[in-house]
Amino acid sequence: MPTINLRGAQKNYGVNSANAVSDLDLEIRDGEFMCLLGPSGCGKTTTLRMIAGLENLSGGEIRVGDRIIDSVADGIFVPPEKREMGLVFQSYALWPHLTIERNTDFGLRLRKLPKAEREARVERVMQALDIAKYRDRYPSQLSGGQQQRVALARMLAVNPGVLLLDEPLSNLDARLRLEMRAELKRLHTEFKTTIVFVTHDQWEAMTLATTIAVMNEGTLQQMGTPNDIYDRPANRFVAEFVGSPPINILTFGKPGDSDVADKAEAYFAARYPQLRGIDSIGMRPEAMGYAARLEDVPQGSFFGEMTVTGVLPTGGSWILELRSASHTLFLTTHALPRVDSGEHVFFHIPPEALHAFDAGGQRITEADAVLRSNTYN
C-alpha cells in the first residue's frame, strides 16, 4: 500500500460546533505501525473513520499515493469498500450463527474467491493466530481474547492494504491485553501490513507502534517514534499525557511562594544563562534518584530536600511520594527503599533529564536558545 497522506483534514459536525479534527497533516508510510494516541474526544477515532471512508471530510484531502480518495475541494469521495482497507472495531462484530471458520472466510466469500485460494488463506491466518483448533466452534464458545483473534483473522484473510484498529483491546482483561499486544506486534512483523491503531492507553502505543501521533482537542500535538515522544516531548501536554506516574512539573515565576520551583529557576539561570522564557520544567519520576545525605547527591545534579510522605510498592518497583511546603513530587525506584515516611531525603536528577517549557507549554532546548534569547530580550 502506498503512503497515506492527510493534508489539512478537518471534520466538523455542525456550524456552531468546534472541529472534531482541525487542519490535520499526517503521513502514514507503507508497512508502518501508526498509533493515534490521546484522551477521549481528541479526534483519533474520527481520524480513523475518515481514513476508512466512514466519515466525509469537512475540509482538506486524503491521498493514497497519488490517488485522491477524499477531497472537499475536488468533490471526490471513494467509498469504504473501494479503499482496500480493513477495519476492526472495539466490539468484535462476529456473526453469532457462523462457526469460527465461516466468520474468518466471510469477506473472502463476499469477494467470490476460488475455494482453494479461500481455504489456503483462511488456514494460514487461523494458524498464525492460533485459532485453527476452534474452527468448528461458535463465537459464544470462545473467550474475549479468542474472539478478538477471530475478528483480526477475518480482516487479515482479505489481505487489506491497511488494517485500521479502533481500540480493539479495550474490552480485554490485563493479561489478555498483554498477550494480544504481543500478537499484534508479531502479526505486523509477519504480514508487513500497514496498521493504524487508535488507543488512549499510552503503554499500548509505546509497546506497539513504530510511530505515534499524539492528538488533543482535534489537533496533532507531536508525531515521532515512541522514544521521541517519551524523551523529547514537544510540549507540556505530551509530557504530562505520556508517562506513569505522570511527569513532575515545577512552575516558575512565583518567588517566595514555591520553594522547590525557586531553586529550579535559580539552577537554570546559573547553568543555562542563554535560555530565556522558561515557565516550567518537567522531571520524569524514573529519571530521579534520592539520597539520605547531601554529600551523596551526584555533582552537577538539580536537587532539593523534601519529606517522604509515602512509600508505594507497585510490584517490580516502588514510588516515593515527596513533599515540601509547596510541592508534591513522585520518584520511582527499582531498589527496595531504605527510607520510611516522615524521613527527609534529597531528590536529585541529572540536568540532561530536565524538560523545559515556555509559557505556551512548548518545549525549550539549548538548540533554540539564541532564537529565544533574541525573542525575550
Side-chain angles (χ1 to χ4, degrees):
M1 172 67 74
T3 297
I4 301 171
N5 274 294
L6 284 75
R7 299 177 180 173
Q10 293 191 43
K11 182 61 185 179
N12 190 291
Y13 291 100
V15 176
N16 297 319
S17 64
N19 285 340
V21 175
S22 299
D23 297 318
L24 178 61
D25 292 328
L26 191 66
E27 180 181 88
I28 304 165
R29 297 184 296 274
D30 182 32
E32 192 165 42
F33 198 131
M34 166 77 76
C35 272
L36 303 180
L37 174 66
S40 297
C42 72
K44 55 189 186 294
T45 293
T46 301
T47 299
L48 191 82
R49 291 173 64 85
M50 290 192 298
I51 295 171
L54 301 180
E55 298 281 0
N56 294 76
L57 294 179
S58 302
E61 69 174 28
I62 301 176
R63 289 176 177 263
V64 178
D66 295 328
R67 177 192 180 205
I68 298 176
I69 61 173
D70 200 345
S71 173
V72 176
D74 296 329
I76 297 173
F77 178 78
V78 176
E81 66 273 14
K82 295 184 179 180
R83 297 194 179 192
E84 299 180 1
M85 300 179 185
L87 180 60
V88 177
F89 296 96
Q90 183 174 343
S91 60
Y92 314 129
L94 301 177
W95 295 105
H97 63 290
L98 298 181
T99 64
I100 299 312
E101 185 173 16
R102 286 298 305 274
N103 265 286
T104 304
D105 76 359
F106 184 78
L108 299 178
R109 287 177 180 270
L110 289 179
R111 296 187 179 197
K112 303 186 186 307
L113 258 68
K115 182 179 179 181
E117 184 181 350
R118 187 177 72 233
E119 289 178 348
R121 282 202 198 180
V122 168
E123 185 63 26
R124 182 189 176 203
V125 297
M126 289 181 73
Q127 290 291 347
L129 285 160
D130 195 28
I131 56 172
K133 55 192 171 187
Y134 308 126
R135 64 173 71 246
D136 296 322
R137 295 190 189 181
Y138 291 89
S140 62
Q141 297 173 307
L142 301 185
S143 69
Q146 291 163 346
Q147 290 184 54
Q148 190 60 271
R149 284 187 170 93
V150 177
L152 284 169
R154 182 177 57 193
M155 282 296 110
L156 289 170
V158 299
N159 195 26
V162 178
L163 188 58
L164 308 174
L165 306 175
D166 187 8
E167 301 204 46
L169 311 184
S170 60
N171 291 331
L172 306 181
D173 61 37
R175 184 186 179 99
L176 283 174
R177 283 170 76 99
L178 185 61
E179 290 177 359
M180 284 304 299
R181 286 177 198 169
E183 196 71 45
L184 282 171
K185 196 77 171 177
R186 184 181 65 80
L187 288 172
H188 178 248
T189 302
E190 180 176 342
F191 287 90
K192 310 298 183 185
T193 302
T194 302
I195 297 178
V196 184
F197 187 101
V198 164
T199 183
H200 64 272
D201 187 322
Q202 53 172 308
W203 293 122
E204 214 157 73
M206 295 290 287
T207 55
L208 287 174
T210 55
T211 304
I212 298 175
V214 183
M215 298 183 67
N216 186 42
E217 297 182 347
T219 61
L220 181 65
Q221 302 293 309
Q222 184 177 358
M223 185 167 71
T225 66
N227 286 339
D228 288 336
I229 298 297
Y230 190 79
D231 294 330
R232 294 171 291 280
N235 54 43
R236 269 189 62 169
F237 173 81
V238 175
E240 293 180 275
F241 188 78
V242 177
S244 180
I247 194 170
N248 298 295
I249 297 291
L250 299 176
T251 302
F252 295 175
K254 298 180 180 179
D257 185 45
S258 182
D259 47 8
V260 181
D262 284 351
K263 189 166 185 176
E265 190 167 5
Y267 177 88
F268 261 88
R271 191 175 187 91
Y272 304 109
Q274 73 276 27
L275 291 185
R276 298 291 186 273
I278 299 176
D279 178 76
S280 59
I281 64 163
M283 301 183 294
R284 294 278 185 205
E286 55 276 15
M288 300 169 64
Y290 71 96
R293 303 180 305 168
L294 180 59
E295 52 266 35
D296 294 331
V297 173
Q299 191 73 23
S301 299
F302 169 59
F303 68 92
E305 186 178 8
M306 301 184 78
T307 303
V308 178
T309 54
V311 179
L312 315 173
T314 62
S317 61
W318 289 261
I319 299 172
L320 298 187
E321 182 186 57
L322 310 177
R323 288 190 181 176
S324 66
S326 305
H327 282 88
T328 299
L329 302 179
F330 292 94
L331 177 158
T332 302
T333 177
H334 293 286
L336 178 65
R338 301 297 181 183
V339 294
D340 294 315
S341 294
E343 294 184 28
H344 288 263
V345 297
F346 295 90
F347 75 84
H348 54 80
I349 183 169
E352 62 271 16
L354 294 168
H355 303 274
F357 305 100
D358 64 18
Q362 297 303 303
R363 182 180 183 84
I364 299 175
T365 65
E366 290 185 81
D368 62 4
V370 174
L371 175 62
R372 289 180 179 271
S373 180
N374 292 336
T375 301
Y376 289 102
N377 277 336

